[in-house]
């Protein structure tokens, strides 16, 4: 079943403009979700906004935004006020900068989205932008308002479409040197390297999405199915924790790994 578009607007490069739609490239819809319940009555628990002073529930129509000026004073902002400061990037992805794709560190990548033309008229302009980026090996950098905040985004050609990555803010990224810089630079022994390389070769396989499946999710669904049939509490099996024995010599451990038959 086709999904609803996550965002609609325009992709622009100088005078070339086309209407586009954006869809999340990932989903959590298949994840097992729980509702908070009242253990005594067995009824679902509902959350409501409560007036912090009167203690009375607040209707949705009476909710608004306020900027705190002091402990008990706020500047009230209406929807019209927020609209008046909206940026052009609310509805337009205007590519003003291109960079070499490999120069953007992986740690800046946040969430991927699929970008595609929203009608047949805009397909040619969309294709020109996509193919030009692919031919030059460059990606576009732009800005886009998402979730009430303007985000830097990266546009990379991918097949017949474009993948739009939201990028993390600079102050969200921690420098690796602050952590890895504390590690020693000693070189491992040649024999250890040979053993580890052999172990890597032995365990190398083709990439398969099954490698990132969630066994806990499957166990939850199985347990829920059993509970529906028996209506009794079923404890999920737990694997024993590893024993805290003596530290094994790394060379011996690697040899055992290579000699172990699967």
């Amino acid at each position: 079943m086709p999904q609803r578009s996550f965002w609609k607007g325009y992709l622009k490069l100088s005078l070339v403009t086309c209407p586009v739609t954006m869809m999340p490239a990932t989903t959590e819809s298949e994840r097992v979700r729980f509702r908070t319940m009242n253990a005594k009555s067995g009824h679902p628990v509902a959350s409501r906004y409560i007036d912090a002073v009167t203690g009375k529930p607040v209707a949705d129509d009476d909710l608004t935004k306020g900027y705190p000026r002091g402990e008990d004073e706020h500047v009230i902002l209406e929807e019209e006020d927020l609209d008046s400061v909206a940026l052009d990037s609310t509805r337009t992805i205007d590519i003003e900068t291109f960079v070499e794709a490999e120069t953007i560190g992986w740690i800046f990548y946040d969430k991927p989205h699929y970008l595609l033309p929203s009608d047949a008229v805009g397909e040619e302009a969309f294709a020109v932008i996509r193919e030009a980026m692919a031919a030059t090996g460059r990606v576009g950098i732009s800005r886009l308002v998402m979730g009430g905040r303007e985000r830097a985004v990266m546009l990379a050609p991918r097949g017949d479409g474009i993948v739009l990555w939201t990028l993390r803010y600079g102050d969200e990224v921690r420098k690796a040197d602050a952590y890895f810089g504390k590690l020693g630079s000693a070189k491992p022994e040649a024999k250890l390297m040979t053993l580890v390389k052999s172990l890597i070769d032995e365990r190398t396989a083709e990439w398969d999405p099954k490698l990132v499946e969630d066994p806990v999710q499957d166990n939850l669904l199985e347990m829920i199915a059993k509970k529906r049939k028996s209506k009794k509490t079923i404890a999920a099996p737990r694997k024993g924790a590893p024993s805290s024995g003596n530290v094994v010599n790394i060379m011996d451990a690697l040899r055992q790994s290579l000699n172990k038959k699967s």
Side-chain angles (χ1 to χ4, degrees), residues 99-155:
V99 301
E100 299 291 337
E102 64 273 10
T103 60
I104 302 179
W106 63 267
I107 200 168
F108 282 94
Y109 287 43
D110 185 19
K111 292 183 178 180
H113 301 78
Y114 293 135
L115 194 69
L116 58 153
S118 56
D119 59 36
V121 176
E123 286 188 10
E124 183 177 10
F126 181 89
V128 167
I129 297 174
R130 180 196 66 217
E131 293 303 313
M133 287 194 294
T136 58
R138 298 188 179 100
V139 294
I141 303 296
S142 185
R143 306 192 71 83
L144 176 63
V145 173
M146 302 176 68
R149 299 185 69 183
E150 188 180 56
R151 305 291 302 267
V153 296
M154 181 195 79
L155 295 94

Side-chain angles (χ1 to χ4, degrees), residues 8 32 39 41 68 70 146 149 158 171 179-180 211-212 217 259:
K8 281 189 175 183
V32 174
S41 67
M146 302 176 68
R149 299 185 69 183
R158 182 81 174 183
D171 58 6
Y179 303 92
F180 299 154
L211 293 172
V212 291
Q217 178 103 339
N259 295 330

